[in-house]
């Protein structure tokens, strides 16, 4: 059972445009939602994260929007740059108990063309 | 400071052989995770260590997989009698005990089983 569904699988955006990646989760125990950025041959790097007590979090050109009732969250990359070309993973975990293991979406390969 | 390091970076082995993968977490990070990244399955949790507590092994796919952590620092993931479906990137992550949701990943070990 896939607990975090991510779309689209791939995305092509022109330089300067907005990249939008969406995720939906099923487990209502999840209370922490990070996004990771991964370049080829590298490990995932934490980009930005949100908790369900806020509906939006912005860090520079990156914004997470969170809809608790719909159990959905999304990543917006404003003014997308070629250097943003990477694979992006949404993830979720419960911080109430246990190991805090991350459940990941299957990833979105973003290509930003000049 | 130094990030999470993993060795070897690449490993090619023959079906049926045993392999050992090593992870050095960030200094002071008592929580350590192993994940597997494969083309079909995305990123999957394998095992979690926290200090001297019993590990959470709930993600290990079979009894051919095992892991240990010596002295609360370095961890070794062992795969016995490797199968072709074990081919994947094995990622290690670490975090502080009070911020286990914020996990920092190493570059991974790319395992190819022929």
């Amino acid at each position: 059972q896939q607990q975090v569904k991510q779309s689209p699988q791939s995305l092509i955006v022109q330089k300067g445009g907005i990249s939008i990646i969406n995720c939906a989760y099923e487990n209502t125990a999840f209370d922490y939602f990070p996004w990771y950025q991964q370049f080829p041959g590298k490990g995932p790097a934490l980009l930005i994260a949100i908790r369900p007590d806020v509906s939006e979090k912005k860090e520079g050109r990156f914004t997470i929007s969170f809809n608790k009732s719909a159990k959905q969250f999304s990543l917006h990359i404003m003014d997308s740059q070629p250097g943003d070309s990477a694979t992006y993973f949404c993830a979720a975990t419960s911080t109430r108990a246990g190991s805090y293991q991350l459940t990941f979406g299957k990833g979105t390969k973003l290509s930003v063309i000049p | 400071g130094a990030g999470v390091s993993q060795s070897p970076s690449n490993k090619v082995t023959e079906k049926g052989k045993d392999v050992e993968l090593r992870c050095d977490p960030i200094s002071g990070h008592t929580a350590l995770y192993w994940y597997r990244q494969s083309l079909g399955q995305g990123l999957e949790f394998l095992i979690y260590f926290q200090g001297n507590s019993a590990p959470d092994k709930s993600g290990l796919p079979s009894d051919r997989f095992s892991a240990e952590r010596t002295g609360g620092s370095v961890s070794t993931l062992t795969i016995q009698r490797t199968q072709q479906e074990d081919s994947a990137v094995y990622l290690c992550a670490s975090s502080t005990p009070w911020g286990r949701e914020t996990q920092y990943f190493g570059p991974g070990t790319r395992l190819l089983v022929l």
Side-chain angles (χ1 to χ4, degrees), chain A residues 6-68:
Chain A
Q6 182 172 348
S7 63
Q9 276 188 300
S10 62
L11 182 61
I12 299 175
V13 172
Q14 289 250 317
K15 179 182 174 182
I18 303 173
S19 304
I20 302 174
I21 305 170
N22 300 300
C23 285
Y25 64 98
E26 300 165 3
N27 188 343
T28 54
F30 289 153
D31 61 356
Y32 180 79
F33 303 88
W35 285 87
Y36 281 83
Q37 178 189 57
Q38 186 176 33
F39 293 104
K42 305 290 186 184
L46 180 64
L47 193 60
I48 187 172
I50 197 168
R51 299 181 192 273
D53 53 342
V54 296
S55 59
E56 186 174 283
K57 183 173 181 181
K58 183 175 180 179
E59 289 184 3
R61 296 186 293 110
F62 301 91
T63 301
I64 301 179
S65 298
F66 187 83
N67 185 330
K68 188 175 180 179

Side-chain angles (χ1 to χ4, degrees), chain A residues 32 34 36 38 40-46 51 89 93 95 98-106, chain B residues 33 35 37 40-45 48 56 58 91 99-108 110:
Chain A
Y32 180 79
Y36 281 83
Q38 186 176 33
K42 305 290 186 184
L46 180 64
R51 299 181 192 273
F89 293 92
T93 188
T95 64
S99 67
Y100 291 32
Q101 60 180 266
L102 293 168
T103 300
F104 285 86
K106 290 193 180 288
Chain B
Y33 301 78
Y35 292 86
Q37 184 172 24
Q41 299 299 321
L43 277 146
E44 303 171 286
F45 165 77
Y48 158 75
D56 176 355
S58 60
L91 291 159
R100 283 174 287 163
E101 68 274 20
T102 305
Q103 297 173 24
Y104 299 89
F105 283 82
R110 283 146 193 83

Side-chain angles (χ1 to χ4, degrees), chain B residues 15-83:
Chain B
K15 178 181 172 181
K17 301 276 189 182
D18 297 352
V19 295
E20 285 190 351
L21 313 179
R22 177 187 167 106
C23 171
D24 277 279
I26 293 171
S27 177
H29 282 197
T30 59
L32 186 147
Y33 301 78
W34 284 97
Y35 292 86
R36 178 170 69 176
Q37 184 172 24
S38 53
L39 279 175
Q41 299 299 321
L43 277 146
E44 303 171 286
F45 165 77
L46 297 177
I47 190 169
Y48 158 75
F49 295 91
Q50 169 53 40
N52 295 320
S53 302
D56 176 355
K57 304 179 183 180
S58 60
L60 294 179
S62 77
D63 58 8
R64 295 187 295 105
F65 288 73
S66 63
E68 63 177 18
R69 190 175 185 192
T70 53
S73 180
V74 171
S75 177
T76 302
L77 177 69
T78 300
I79 309 173
Q80 294 179 309
R81 305 180 303 282
T82 52
Q83 304 294 310

